[in-house]
Amino acid sequence: MSEIGVFEFQGKRYEFPVEIGTENEIAIDISKLRSKTGGVITLDPGYKNTGSCKSAITFLDGEKGILRHRGYPIEDLAKRSNFLEVAYLVIFGDLPNKEEFEKFEADVKKNSMVNEEIKDILDGFPRAAHPMGVLSSLTGALTAFHPRHAGMYSEEEMYNSITKILGKFPVLAAWSHSKNEGLPLSYSDNSLDYVENILMLMFKIPTTKYEANPIIKKAIEELLILHLDHEQNCSTSTVRLVGSSHASLFASISSGVSALWGPMHGGANQAVIEMLEEIIEDGGDVDKFIKRAKDKNDLFRLMGFGHRVYKNFDPRALIIKESAKAVLNELGVVDPALKVAKHLEEAALSDPYFIDRKLFPNVDFYSGIIYRALGIRVEMFTVMFAIGRLPGWIAQWREMHLNKEPIGRPRQLYIGVNERKCVPMSKRK
Ligand code: CMC
């Protein structure tokens, strides 16, 4: 079935091809709009209606609350798979068989050392530096140690860069945490699996043997899978945009970390816990904060609520909410923030302001409660998100290069002053 999008402007009729995705999503291909119309562009701040690429990685239906990676529902992947296996799926397109998985895991592990000179860079940061800023800088710094790893000109080159960043990123993430905590830096232990190694890197102290608590391991594995990819979100679009200039994979991922840091995006998981604490310290009056969130003269927003794409429950939030209850139960942790979060959720979900705007809890609403119960400090929450999102960024970067996408370069509508003469300073009023 071929469809055509018709557009009439200044008495002329223009036709544009319509593309239909495998899940029947419809897109009008306006790539020839400027050339056909002699310069007309579309205006779409925040890209709310703009598809920036075609992608075969993740399908998301925000109205129905569906999220699938390479066709597999997120619910199945979170319950039945391990993180590195889903990383392979998302990056290369299929779940690996035993041989493929073992090779991939071995290649990632081969790359789990970072250059010792990175420690000198880390030393230069103040101890109080936010770990996301440190992680972004150290990831960018990898380019200095692997200058020939732009990594996009052949499948082999890409594979080498991909296994390098997957091996090194958790080490840099853990070091950003150790710096913050004033702890000595740990090295990877290749006898552990990917997620156990992350936990060991973060929690091991030199005086004791570290053994991952299975409840913690299971919870972290699930959280990492739930964060793995989310199609063209802010940080992923950043990775694609930076990568489209043929900057290296490491430089592109470093930009993705910076984009993720903001509280409108991944930084919301830290902001949610800070908000819940503020509510508790203020006496626990949830209605007061709901009122503030609705007040257009107040900058306060209900953190962990709302989503650009989900206009129904975020399927990841449903899983995380159940896990939060289970983890707190299993570990015997009583966190007053969970009670406040549930109260806040109930109050918001029965309030016309949130109902009319289709604002539901998102992935970040309950994740912080789990991280906190597992003993992860609040500044590290977004770093955990970044470790989870890394394979998604990689997959999108790889797909962009395999599809030979052009450099990303949006247009604008200029609304500044028209041409004027430059007068010498002595003659300016
Ligand atoms: N609290 C109060 N009002 C809100 C909220 C909120 N959390 N989110 C949206 N609104 C209102 C907004 O003021 C607007 O109202 P009106 O139509 O009267 O102007 C309406 O709902 C639509 O909001 P929007 O800002 O146009 O929606 P958006 O798609 O541009 O923004 C969002 C999406 C996630 C940035 C926003 O919902 C938000 O700021 N949420 C809080 C931060 C957050 O939890 N971020 C994590 C997002 S999910 C994980 C991730 O991306 O990493």
Side-chain angles (χ1 to χ4, degrees), residues 155-221:
E155 283 261 31
E156 193 192 348
E157 225 184 283
M158 281 199 227
Y159 184 80
N160 289 337
S161 298
I162 289 169
T163 47
K164 266 202 168 48
I165 190 82
L166 280 168
K168 296 178 194 314
F169 195 77
V171 180
L172 302 181
W175 283 8
S176 72
H177 170 69
S178 309
K179 169 87 193 181
N180 231 224
E181 294 272 310
L183 288 169
L185 307 179
S186 299
Y187 292 87
S188 286
D189 176 349
N190 286 349
S191 70
L192 301 175
D193 78 22
Y194 195 75
V195 172
E196 277 166 359
N197 188 49
I198 293 170
L199 292 171
M200 182 281 296
L201 282 165
M202 278 182 49
F203 292 121
K204 185 177 173 355
I205 45 173
T207 46
T208 50
K209 189 169 162 20
Y210 179 76
E211 263 181 50
N213 172 335
I215 300 170
I216 296 185
K217 158 94 195 308
K218 186 171 161 276
I220 292 288
E221 189 110 41

Side-chain angles (χ1 to χ4, degrees), residues 48 227 230 233-234 260 262-269 272 292-294 296 300-311 314 316 353-354 357 359 362-365 385 389:
K48 292 190 177 191
H227 285 87
H230 215 231
N233 57 82
C234 176
L260 186 73
M264 296 291 109
H265 191 11
N269 56 14
V272 169
R292 281 188 63 194
K294 297 191 289 186
K296 296 292 171 201
F300 176 79
R301 277 191 166 200
L302 211 53
M303 299 313 289
F305 254 79
H307 196 276
R308 171 59 60 80
V309 186
Y310 290 120
K311 301 301 169 196
D314 179 339
R316 303 166 302 171
Y353 174 95
F354 293 89
R357 289 170 181 77
L359 301 170
N362 59 47
V363 69
D364 295 314
F365 194 64
F385 191 154
R389 184 54 55 86

